[in-house]
Amino acid sequence: MNEYSKELKQGNHKIAFVPTMGALHDGHLSLVSRANEVAEHTVVSIFVNPTQFGQNEDFGKYTRDLEGDMDKLSPYRVDTIFTPEAKDIYPENFQTYLEVAELQKVLCGKSRPGHFRGVATVVLKLFNIVQPDFAIFGQKDFQQLKVIERLVKDLHLGVEIIPMPIVREKDGLALSSRNAYLSDEERLKALSLSKALSSIKASFQGGCKDTGKLLEEGLAVLKNSDVNDIDYLEIRDSENLELIKTTQSGNLVAVAARIGNTRLIDNIIL
Ligand code: AMP
């Protein structure tokens, strides 16, 4: 992969990179489509990164379907589908990790200790291998996007990060590889995540700026659908992810909840 990227660079060609864990859906494909627009060469990586999963998480059962993923990518201009093995990325005696100190403490970082350390480490490694000019990330993983923007700035990586909006089903459910785990009944419950966010947005647009009240309203939507295992529902500054007192336009509303055994996340910018 690195040899190929070096050849492209010598020819002054630009590379756009889409890192994924596979089990591709239209959300991922929107990133690939954007990559095709911004550069003449697109690289997609498929790597279920062990270091970003906690011990009791779904690393083992995460969907792996390389054939299906290749079919989904076939309509796009993809030079390389980079599918490294864990032993290549983390060879024996691997011991160097990257941490984004503050941003990793809140939201998903709080309930998934070590998650963003794994994400930051693998993204830096993938950037070093692929040598992209552009890297495309979805706002679905909003905190991940902020962590990566920060590390790119802090380490002078010179990769342009391009954020892309969340792709949703018609009824509002944010596309996720983990939606495949949901039963019909659970899928109905899962809809309440996007509903809670929309209801907060509607109240905000209707004039309510009281963060506590807005959150109460969102929580009521979740509880009404019998979603009780809520990791967080929070309103934060969308740049530094700090808590805010009075809700303002541009703030992030983010939610994470477990539906059965499936942990789902979603967010909206007010
Ligand atoms: P993953 O394979 O889940 O690690 O995701 C790979 C990339 O796809 C990340 O940048 C995600 O934010 C992005 N992504 C996942 N789901 C969506 C979605 N529904 N809309 C837009 N981007 C998404």
Side-chain angles (χ1 to χ4, degrees), residues 18-31 45-48 52 62 115 119 136-142 144-145 148 162 164-169 173-179 265-266:
V18 182
T20 80
M21 298 203 300
L24 301 182
H25 52 63
D26 285 349
H28 298 112
L29 298 177
S30 74
L31 312 186
S45 67
I46 297 179
F47 179 57
V48 185
Q52 72 188 69
Y62 202 86
H115 172 67
V119 168
I136 329 291
F137 287 88
Q139 289 182 330
K140 161 86 184 345
D141 301 270
F142 196 87
Q144 168 174 280
L145 172 66
I148 288 157
I162 301 180
M164 289 293 289
I166 301 177
V167 176
R168 298 177 179 281
E169 304 273 10
L173 182 70
L175 296 192
S176 162
S177 303
R178 292 189 168 96
N179 290 350
I265 58 172
D266 199 353

Side-chain angles (χ1 to χ4, degrees), residues 177-215:
S177 303
R178 292 189 168 96
N179 290 350
Y181 303 155
L182 302 171
S183 67
D184 289 351
E185 194 189 330
E186 287 172 339
R187 195 197 172 285
L188 266 180
K189 283 190 179 186
L191 249 189
S192 67
L193 269 66
S194 59
K195 283 197 175 135
L197 298 175
S198 306
S199 108
I200 289 176
K201 186 167 188 172
S203 294
F204 175 74
Q205 287 172 336
C208 179
K209 308 285 184 261
D210 182 327
T211 305
K213 274 202 186 124
L214 290 168
L215 291 175

Side-chain angles (χ1 to χ4, degrees), residues 146-163:
K146 293 296 134 182
V147 163
I148 288 157
E149 285 175 346
R150 189 73 254 159
L151 80 88
V152 163
K153 271 194 198 131
D154 288 354
L155 301 179
H156 314 280
L157 295 189
V159 181
E160 187 180 326
I161 304 300
I162 301 180

